Amino acid sequence: MEERKKRINERAHETRKNKPRKSQVSKGKRRRHYSEKPDERDEHLVRKLEALMSLRTTEEDAMKRASEERYTQWKSLVPALYDWLTNHNLIWPSLSCRWGPQLKQGTYKNRQLLYLSERTDGEFPNTLVVAQCEVLKPRTAAAEHISQFNEEAKSPFVKKHKTIIHPGEVNRIRELPQNSKIVATHTDRPEVLIWNVETQPNRSSTLGAVHSRPDLVLTGHTENAEFALNFSRAAPHVLSGGKDKLVLQWSIEDHITGIQEPYPSRAGTPTAGGGRGSWTTGAGGSDLSDASSIAPRGVFKGHSDTVEDVQFRPSSMQEFCSVGDDSCLVFWDARSGHEPTLKVEKAHDADLHCVDWNAHDENLLLTGSADASVRLFDHRKLSASNSQGTPIEQFEGHTAAVLCVQWCPDRASVFGSCAEDGLLNVWDFEKASKKSGESGRPKKSSKVPAGLFFQHTGHRDKVVDFHWDASDPWTVVSVSDDGESTGGGGTLQIWRMIDFLYRPEEEVLAELDSVRPQLLLPPQ
């Protein structure tokens, strides 16, 4: 987890363009240190260091050029690949993005809430942002319109609606399925924070601003819990995992009514003291001692390293799974105790970053790993005697650590994966099965990874999160941390691939035949 956190946050304080990068300053100091009175050994070491830095710079430059070439090619193909796309430049990087409730349906577009985070340089407060988005309906945006966007500009379809000053950076956001105006956040501390975004007051993210008061604090972790977070679809239950190697479960069912009630006005400077209408802050403005809190109803032990992700079985509030830096995929059932019911000891060849359970077919699970692969497991084929847990499919279309996997809500066999290589891949495991050989692995002669049927390459740096929109089929929001590529900040994109790619082939051909005379296409 430390490596993952370092990769995502390595330039958290370098996003302001008027400041030199720390790496540049440190390299300069290193050179001056060796150039004062070098002896023969120092000179040899200096030459080795300079050669290594030169090689690293060359490799980074080559990767950057390849990424820019890929992006330029992608941009020229946008009108042919997408039914709709909008690009929104972010001042600060966002580590998480989630769709909220749909507010209004119109003739040509729908209005919907969107949640995202802002990770600042430490001088300005970190925030949880509630935005209102205008999501265009299929076949509404003109091709020339979606191709004419400025990478450095704001999208006219994304408007900031409310800002919540968050105590610490927001690493993960999850919405309550029973009421998506209630969200949970993970930050760089042990607690899980619950927010009612509807009743939280809108705040100004100015220097020195005191953070907002969460509606509920979930306690129990003994070390930081930063990424593993999930709500149950069956009941208002919350799962979390952290560096303490624990999986914790809470029920907030009895607190839903209280969460939905707005707090008394807190205009002016917060004061010390207890009660629902007061607020206290400690050093750094991160004291949560005055907020309402609850302890976990279950503490589950079975991992030997940091828990990176957790997921409820879609139809259950008692069954769930977790993955971590110990390379394990672990299954739990709260009804049978606090020990694992099944443990896949080596689900991948490296740390596991993410897991998702298929809501259409609960036998299927996806895992993503630092080994750059995505694996598909069938829960029926896992057993206590088979601790290695052979996947039924492996998807190899990334060149860097996979950070998020998620099943598509519109088709049972489709899922997406995003990674540090800047790619967001869309897969169909049924197509992978058709292209695989008898061994279940892709044929070596295939240039395209088996099962890959769409690749979104609109981000120029690591894609840290994405989310399918359950209200607008096949619509995706994705965010990338573009600190290295654009000099700071991040990029948010909302996009929907052209429907010719996912509709039944016979249906698409019939439509093309009907418009062939207008297109002057030769008959087949």
Side-chain angles (χ1 to χ4, degrees), residues 128-131 160-164 197-202:
L128 170 63
V129 174
V130 182
K160 185 178 288 188
H161 173 65
K162 182 179 288 188
T163 298
I164 297 170
V197 299
E198 186 174 43
T199 59
Q200 280 286 333
N202 187 23

Side-chain angles (χ1 to χ4, degrees), residues 510-524:
E511 182 177 342
L512 290 176
D513 284 338
S514 67
V515 298
R516 192 177 301 278
Q518 295 94 313
L519 298 176
L520 301 178
L521 295 175
Q524 289 188 341

